[in-house]
Amino acid sequence: MPTASSTPPAGLVRLGGTPSVPDYLRQLWARRQFARENAVSELRAQHMDTALGHAWHLLNPILLTAIYYLVFDVILDATRGLENFIAFLAIGVLTYHWMQKAVTGGANTIVGNEGLIRSLQFPRALLPISTVLQQTLAFLPGVVVMAIIALSTGEGIRPDWVLIVPAFVLQLLFVLGVSFMAARAADAFRDTLNLLPFLFRLVFYGSGVLYAVDDRFPIFEIWWVELIFILNPFYCLISLWRHALMTSYQVPHIEWLWLSAAVWTVIALVVGFLVFRAGEKGYGRG
Amino acid sequence: MAETAAPPVRPIATEPGNVTVHVDDLHVHYRVYEDRRPRLREVLTAGARRPSFREIKAVRGVDLTAYQGESIGVIGHNGSGKSTLLQAIAGVLPPTQGAVYASSQPSLLGVSAALRPTVSGRRNIVLGGLALGLTRREVEERLDDIIAFTELEDFIDLPIRTYSSGMRARLHFAIATSIEPEILLIDEALSVGDEVFREKSQQRIAELRERSGTVFLVSHSLGTIRETCTRVLWFHKGRIREDGAPRTVVKHYREHMREAREKPGADR
């Protein structure tokens, strides 16, 4: 028996090596149906054993908005003269919720799928892609809720509503990039999973979900505080939706927010993908 | 290694060049969390590092070449590294050192591997097929055959967390062989099935071998190993202790087991 020869016999390929970026992308594209099927299956299974079933996909965003409305408008009266606080709030809460769910779900994909990873060989990036897809599908009823709230509170349909599409695409790709990073980070340090909820809580309060970043608050007149918000991708992405759907509220510096969101999306996607792929060989080792 | 004296017996004719799997100086280590209180000495010497992770050296230097038409049994104690070896050959557990070369992507069949526990059997078949690289149409074409093979028609739309381990093994075997893999790795998956399933799966394995595939079979049933395999590896403490004809290796393994029973703790 030939043993210990360092050159492999002709015609064999090395397993578990890292493919080149074009090859990897090709493999992902070839198995895109898996990502879709996996996302849909998980989504279907989610509310299988509840009495209300799929109605939960619509109830979730409604209840989420209702709670924030109850606390911050009815009880605390924290509207600060915002004309249409409920639309402002719904857009902030629902788009932020999508980003949070997609990234925390994405972080769990390598750690939580050890069984699948150790039994089937496929490009692992399919897992975060699939989870982000799943959370995006779960977010779509939220878009309907936001639109209905905007319409019923007198915002009216304008050509600007088309801007929802680029806002949606930017946010989806940004979240995907961040999920790639989170998945790799959680595989290397499990503690990431414990830390993420707190990070998202912090960013939640720091991204203008509940308040307008304008001259209603003296602190936002300081130029560098404003700059921090313009450089915060979460604030930018939320603001794009408000810009598209609302006339009663004018988002300040909206051109800069579009630019900032676009730059962040490219950075997150490229860096996230490369970081995730660099760890590919180690996934499943625990 | 001195023990690898017996040359492998290969009843199906092999010519040079039809190698399907080549394993070159393979080492696989992995980290597991250990649930015990660290000793004071460890805390002091390890400093800030967590002392409660243990590095398991499951495979420690394996060289192996497998040919078309071979059915290779892998035997050894619990914890000797058999499953890890198969996972590494499948490419799902990355090598720490060394490399695995194969003529095509091997298909791994394990008993513990739950695909998507909350998802129905039918959807798991679709998911598994897509992950293995089939197109949606190919999966749909084969779906009825796969379900028929599992004989789980009545349960196919239930979530697989409700399946027994035998039912799960049937499903998984059907998924793994649905793509007619050239290299099939079976880890204990047959042992939980009933008599009917065992016969069916052995027939399927024979078919795969005849189509000049290679099958690896981990099992504790030495009878199955002797019936099904053309070559046997005795795996011991992460290394190949013996590699040869089923009768010889199984005989040596039995002798070793008998000695271990008589002198517990001698060489396990």
Side-chain angles (χ1 to χ4, degrees):
Chain A
M1 200 179 103
T3 54
S5 62
S6 53
T7 47
L12 300 196
V13 288
R14 185 171 178 162
L15 296 179
T18 314
S20 67
V21 172
D23 281 348
Y24 194 82
L25 290 174
R26 244 192 305 276
Q27 284 180 25
L28 281 179
W29 181 248
R31 289 167 194 213
R32 63 191 180 279
Q33 288 290 348
F34 171 81
R36 203 187 74 102
E37 186 65 30
N38 191 31
V40 174
S41 302
E42 285 289 303
L43 214 54
R44 287 180 64 92
Q46 223 166 43
H47 303 297
M48 275 299 208
D49 42 10
T50 59
L52 294 174
H54 292 310
W56 276 111
H57 292 303
L58 203 59
L59 278 172
N60 278 332
I62 294 174
L63 291 177
L64 199 63
T65 310
I67 286 176
Y68 280 97
Y69 182 71
L70 181 73
V71 173
F72 287 93
D73 191 339
V74 180
I75 300 176
L76 292 176
D77 194 22
T79 62
R80 288 273 182 149
L82 273 167
E83 251 175 71
N84 190 356
F85 189 65
I86 184 156
F88 181 89
L89 195 66
I91 296 170
V93 168
L94 296 182
T95 49
Y96 191 80
H97 188 68
W98 171 30
M99 295 193 268
Q100 173 167 5
K101 291 286 271 187
V103 173
T104 37
N108 226 329
T109 48
I110 300 302
V111 179
N113 283 306
E114 213 170 66
L116 197 63
I117 288 174
R118 286 201 186 177
S119 47
L120 300 178
Q121 174 57 46
F122 56 90
R124 307 307 187 200
L126 281 176
L127 293 172
I129 289 174
S130 170
T131 303
V132 169
L133 195 63
Q134 180 197 337
Q135 294 304 336
T136 305
L137 293 174
F139 167 67
L140 292 180
V143 179
V144 176
V145 171
M146 291 189 312
I148 291 173
I149 291 179
L151 281 178
S152 61
T153 51
E155 296 292 347
I157 293 187
R158 295 167 300 127
D160 276 10
W161 277 42
V162 180
L163 292 175
I164 290 178
V165 177
F168 176 80
V169 172
L170 281 180
Q171 192 164 9
L172 174 61
L173 297 177
F174 174 76
V175 159
L176 182 62
V178 178
S179 295
F180 279 141
M181 292 181 223
R184 171 90 195 270
D187 182 59
F189 314 100
R190 298 289 159 102
D191 316 52
T192 310
L193 296 174
N194 300 54
L195 211 58
L196 269 179
F198 296 103
L199 270 177
F200 268 102
R201 191 109 304 238
L202 182 71
V203 177
F204 179 83
Y205 291 118
S207 300
V209 177
L210 305 171
Y211 52 85
V213 181
D214 58 19
D215 49 17
R216 269 168 256 261
F217 299 89
I219 189 171
F220 296 135
E221 284 169 27
I222 306 169
W223 68 271
W224 57 266
V225 176
E226 223 179 354
L227 184 66
I228 289 176
F229 275 87
I230 293 176
L231 293 178
N232 172 353
F234 293 90
Y235 171 68
C236 295
L237 289 163
I238 294 170
S239 298
L240 302 187
W241 287 85
R242 284 180 181 150
H243 172 67
L245 287 170
M246 296 179 74
T247 37
S248 67
Y249 173 69
Q250 292 299 321
V251 183
H253 310 296
I254 188 66
E255 320 75 40
W256 288 106
L257 298 186
W258 276 104
L259 180 67
S260 174
V263 171
W264 275 115
T265 298
V266 173
I267 293 174
L269 195 59
V270 172
V271 173
F273 177 74
L274 293 177
V275 163
F276 183 85
R277 185 179 147 277
E280 178 97 359
K281 276 174 83 173
Y283 299 146
R285 198 184 277 157
Chain B
M1 229 182 290
E3 289 99 333
T4 55
V9 175
R10 292 191 291 276
I12 293 175
T14 55
E15 286 130 38
N18 49 10
V19 172
T20 48
V21 178
H22 181 76
V23 179
D24 182 22
D25 188 32
L26 180 73
H27 293 254
V28 184
H29 304 170
Y30 56 86
R31 257 179 355 156
V32 285
Y33 176 68
E34 194 168 26
D35 189 7
R36 65 174 175 87
R37 282 178 59 178
R39 297 192 194 102
L40 183 60
R41 189 168 52 87
E42 290 171 335
V43 175
L44 294 176
T45 53
R49 275 187 49 219
R50 290 287 297 270
S52 44
F53 280 105
R54 187 192 283 193
E55 180 95 2
I56 304 285
K57 294 178 179 164
V59 176
R60 319 172 174 210
V62 167
D63 293 294
L64 174 70
T65 305
Y67 300 85
Q68 286 181 348
E70 274 192 318
S71 167
I72 302 176
V74 184
I75 55 176
H77 293 299
N78 293 131
S80 58
K82 305 183 295 289
S83 299
T84 310
L85 176 71
L86 253 54
Q87 287 178 335
I89 292 178
V92 292
L93 199 56
T96 313
Q97 192 190 316
V100 177
Y101 303 90
S103 55
S104 65
Q105 174 63 50
S107 197
L108 174 68
L109 187 60
V111 61
S112 58
L115 296 169
R116 287 267 163 205
T118 55
V119 170
S120 73
R122 187 192 302 274
R123 281 181 178 270
N124 263 292
I125 295 175
V126 174
L127 276 176
L130 293 173
L132 291 169
L134 294 180
T135 65
R136 175 166 280 281
R137 177 185 280 179
E138 285 170 328
V139 173
E140 270 157 19
E141 278 169 7
R142 296 170 199 207
L143 195 57
D144 289 336
D145 286 344
I146 298 172
I147 294 173
F149 184 84
T150 62
E151 292 178 20
L152 293 170
E153 285 91 346
D154 290 346
F155 309 96
I156 205 68
D157 292 312
L158 299 182
I160 59 168
R161 66 183 154 82
T162 61
Y163 285 19
S164 72
S165 53
M167 288 160 77
R168 228 172 274 182
R170 280 171 180 246
L171 186 77
H172 208 153
F173 185 89
I175 294 172
T177 54
S178 68
I179 56 162
E180 289 163 18
E182 194 188 359
I183 304 159
L184 179 64
L185 314 167
I186 304 170
D187 186 3
E188 290 282 355
L190 307 183
S191 56
V192 287
D194 55 28
E195 205 56 38
V196 183
F197 171 61
R198 218 172 298 179
E199 267 167 34
K200 249 174 134 169
S201 51
Q202 280 180 3
Q203 201 185 326
R204 191 88 166 231
I205 291 170
E207 281 168 28
L208 283 173
R209 284 209 311 125
E210 275 158 28
R211 267 178 278 144
S212 63
T214 302
V215 178
F216 283 80
L217 177 66
V218 167
S219 180
H220 287 287
S221 158
L222 297 176
T224 311
I225 292 273
R226 271 210 312 214
E227 281 165 34
T228 330
C229 300
T230 57
R231 174 180 169 191
V232 172
L233 302 176
W234 174 4
F235 216 59
H236 190 69
K237 292 184 178 168
R239 293 195 179 90
I240 295 174
R241 180 153 175 173
E242 195 172 344
D243 176 355
R247 264 152 54 92
T248 331
V249 180
V250 168
K251 194 176 128 228
H252 291 164
Y253 181 62
R254 282 215 166 105
E255 282 165 10
H256 167 81
M257 296 272 275
R258 201 175 312 125
E259 278 169 35
R261 260 199 300 275
E262 281 158 14
K263 288 188 291 176
D267 183 29
R268 274 204 67 126

